[in-house]
Amino acid sequence: EAGVAQSPRYKIIEKRQSVAFWCNPISGHATLYWYQQILGQGPKLLIQFQNNGVVDDSQLPKDRFSAERLKGVDSTLKIQPAKLEDSAVYLCASSWEGGPYEQYFGPGTRLTVT
Amino acid sequence: SQKIEQNSEALNIQEGKTATLTCNYTNYSPAYLQWYRQDPGRGPVFLLLIRENEKEKRKERLKVTFDTTLKQSLFHITASQPADSATYLCALLPMNSGYSTLTFGKGTMLLVSP
């Protein structure tokens, strides 16, 4: 089966610019996750979708980050405006359902904010 | 506050030996614990899941233990190979609910030399 797809793989922007990331989860997976992974750290959950509804966005900096999942399939994560501390890898993952099911991760998008 | 601790220093072992990685947690009562492997430039890959009422879980050369009294999980790789070199992440899930979220540790890098 095809894995989780993400694009772009790399992005370099200047601070205060905006950027968007795209994720296509594994077909049939109801739950989609966006994580931020800073170098040397573990992934930190930003937002979790169940189908096209948000079930947890408690760690999403809502003044600058937004995310949507259209029709319960693809998802986009946007940062506007970007700050230097947003430099990180943004990982998308999906699973059959939420809870203890294994999560399948995409390759990530490495964002550098200068 | 909740804390997940994994050895921040890399673990260096020789091929053929058993690697043991530690995951300790505080102020947390996880119902499930997962282990993931992450290679440079890639997303994490699921390895094993263990429930709070399970003491041990095995899969091929991998073994995970879960001691809720000590608040610790140990991850063992027997007969280690250079291909096992990667960062290993533990992740905790508080309950069997689609609305509960996974919290990752920082990971421990394992280096297996020939």
Side-chain angles (χ1 to χ4, degrees):
Chain A
E1 70 186 353
V4 175
Q6 289 188 248
S7 68
R9 289 297 314 277
Y10 305 92
K11 190 74 177 179
I12 301 173
I13 61 172
E14 296 183 351
K15 59 183 178 184
R16 291 187 289 274
Q17 288 187 322
S18 62
V19 65
F21 312 125
W22 173 83
C23 173
N24 180 240
I26 291 173
S27 177
H29 280 190
T31 309
L32 185 146
Y33 314 80
W34 282 102
Y35 289 90
Q36 179 193 60
Q37 187 172 26
I38 292 171
L39 189 64
Q41 306 287 317
K44 183 183 89 170
L45 181 73
L46 293 175
I47 189 166
Q48 177 178 341
F49 291 94
Q50 181 76 12
N51 296 308
N52 59 352
V54 175
V55 296
D56 189 341
D57 63 357
S58 57
Q59 299 190 90
L60 186 74
K62 298 180 186 65
D63 58 334
R64 298 184 301 107
F65 286 63
S66 65
E68 60 180 3
R69 189 180 184 195
L70 299 174
K71 299 180 181 178
V73 182
D74 291 7
S75 179
T76 56
L77 176 70
K78 296 179 182 177
I79 307 175
Q80 182 179 14
K83 293 186 175 181
L84 295 176
E85 59 260 35
D86 298 332
S87 294
V89 175
Y90 291 85
L91 294 161
C92 178
S94 68
S95 63
W96 287 109
E97 294 288 343
Y101 301 98
E102 67 179 276
Q103 295 184 17
Y104 295 80
F105 283 81
T109 297
R110 181 175 297 278
L111 174 67
T112 302
V113 182
T114 62
Chain B
S1 62
Q2 297 173 344
K3 216 173 186 180
I4 303 171
E5 292 181 348
Q6 294 187 256
N7 287 350
S8 56
E9 291 183 13
L11 177 64
N12 287 275
I13 64 167
Q14 271 196 314
E15 182 176 9
K17 302 291 186 184
T18 296
T20 299
L21 306 176
T22 305
C23 176
N24 295 301
Y25 57 92
T26 55
N27 297 324
Y28 216 122
S29 296
Y32 299 88
L33 192 148
Q34 298 182 354
W35 282 89
Y36 287 78
R37 168 186 173 140
Q38 187 171 26
D39 291 283
R42 295 182 174 234
V45 174
F46 173 83
L47 296 174
L48 281 168
L49 175 147
I50 187 166
R51 294 172 173 78
E52 62 176 338
N53 60 353
E54 295 177 317
K55 297 295 184 188
E56 183 179 296
K57 184 74 78 73
R58 292 176 184 259
K59 179 183 175 182
E60 298 173 352
R61 294 185 295 112
L62 309 180
K63 184 179 85 171
V64 172
T65 62
F66 193 6
D67 189 326
T68 55
T69 301
L70 292 178
K71 296 186 181 293
Q72 180 182 78
S73 174
L74 298 178
F75 177 81
H76 307 272
I77 306 177
T78 58
S80 59
Q81 305 165 1
D84 295 326
S85 298
T87 295
Y88 291 86
L89 300 159
C90 74
L92 277 59
L93 194 70
M95 64 183 74
N96 181 18
S97 164
Y99 305 107
S100 55
T101 58
L102 211 53
T103 302
F104 283 85
K106 293 182 180 181
T108 299
M109 184 182 295
L110 173 66
L111 298 170
V112 182
S113 53

